[in-house]
């Protein structure tokens, strides 16, 4: 049996954590929360702020759960599906790339990412 020094073990654990961490999921959560804040700043929309914070928090929780176990993808998938549906409808009606098109595409990426975990 091979024995590694404490610094080597710490480096290995750090490397494993970096690989497992759902960085894309956290970035998506920040996009959603940041969009809610921008909606409030630009248009004074309290609903945009509330929903951005709610769905951003849920997306962050989904990313956290997916980081812990690849089998815990359901919350992230549900949040990204809901965001995709809402912003695809908005993009279809308005044709505006910002914010509807951007959030729609990012949500689709997350749906495909979490959906791939469901298939595996």
């Amino acid at each position: 049996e091979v024995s590694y020094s404490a610094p080597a073990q710490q480096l290995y654990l750090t490397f494993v954590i970096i690989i497992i961490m759902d960085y894309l999921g956290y970035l998506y959560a920040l996009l959603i929360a940041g969009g809610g804040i921008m909606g409030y700043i630009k248009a004074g929309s309290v609903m945009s702020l509330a929903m951005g914070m709610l769905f951003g928090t849920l997306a962050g929780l989904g990313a956290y759960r997916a980081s812990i176990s690849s089998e815990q993808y359901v919350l992230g998938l549900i949040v990204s599906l809901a965001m995709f549906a809402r912003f695809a409808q908005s993009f279809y009606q308005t044709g505006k790339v910002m914010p509807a098109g951007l959030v729609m595409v990012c949500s689709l990426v997350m749906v495909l990412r979490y959906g791939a975990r469901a298939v595996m």
Side-chain angles (χ1 to χ4, degrees):
E1 182 175 316
V2 178
S3 175
Y4 296 102
S5 66
Q9 287 177 341
Q10 184 63 35
L11 180 64
Y12 173 75
L13 289 175
T14 302
F15 183 69
V16 168
I17 289 170
I18 289 172
I19 290 174
I20 294 172
M21 188 79 78
D22 187 10
Y23 288 111
L24 191 59
Y26 287 119
L27 186 63
Y28 177 69
L30 286 174
L31 171 77
I32 300 305
I37 293 168
M38 288 304 296
Y40 177 73
I41 290 171
K42 288 193 168 212
S45 173
V46 175
M47 185 60 73
S48 178
L49 178 65
M51 291 297 107
M53 292 296 104
L54 174 66
F55 278 87
T57 301
L58 288 173
L61 181 59
Y64 172 74
R65 291 173 57 90
S67 295
I68 291 175
S69 170
S70 63
E71 296 173 357
Q72 295 187 15
Y73 59 86
V74 177
L75 179 59
L77 181 60
I78 290 170
V79 170
S80 56
L81 273 171
M83 294 298 293
F84 175 76
R86 193 275 183 228
F87 282 93
Q89 176 190 19
S90 179
F91 180 71
Y92 179 74
Q93 290 174 346
T94 66
K96 292 183 180 179
V97 175
M98 281 299 290
L102 175 68
V103 177
M104 179 188 72
V105 169
C106 291
S107 296
L108 180 59
V109 167
M110 295 308 294
V111 166
L112 294 173
R113 189 162 190 267
Y114 288 126
R117 291 183 181 200
V119 175
M120 292 179 149

